[in-house]
Amino acid sequence: MIQIVFNEISAAELSRLPTQVQFQLLEALNITPADFDPGAMEKRFGVLEKDGVKLFRCRTEDHRIYFA
């Protein structure tokens, strides 16, 4: 089972959005166990790297999601 955990700031931002937009954002992530295969996340999502920290970027309509 895969679990997405939001920090306090992210959870607060997400909760301020309309319910339909929340579902749209979560659907855009839709991470599966196969996404954890080597290189799979890099192929599916954009990648930003700064100071050795790798962040992934997912875009859906007017929203962008950055996650580690």
Side-chain angles (χ1 to χ4, degrees):
M1 178 171 84
I2 297 171
Q3 182 177 8
I4 297 174
V5 179
F6 294 94
N7 64 26
E8 288 182 27
I9 295 169
S10 298
E13 291 290 325
L14 188 64
S15 69
R16 284 194 269 174
L17 297 171
T19 304
Q20 282 300 104
V21 174
Q22 291 178 31
F23 285 130
Q24 176 186 357
L25 294 174
L26 294 175
E27 179 65 28
L29 287 174
N30 194 21
I31 296 172
T32 65
D35 290 324
F36 291 99
D37 292 340
M41 293 287 269
E42 287 84 352
K43 290 178 185 173
R44 184 160 173 222
F45 301 104
V47 180
L48 301 170
E49 193 164 345
K50 183 177 180 182
D51 299 329
V53 177
K54 187 183 289 189
L55 292 176
F56 296 98
R57 179 181 63 207
C58 177
R59 182 176 175 184
T60 176
E61 294 190 20
D62 295 334
H63 302 281
R64 289 187 180 95
I65 305 166
Y66 294 89
F67 61 99

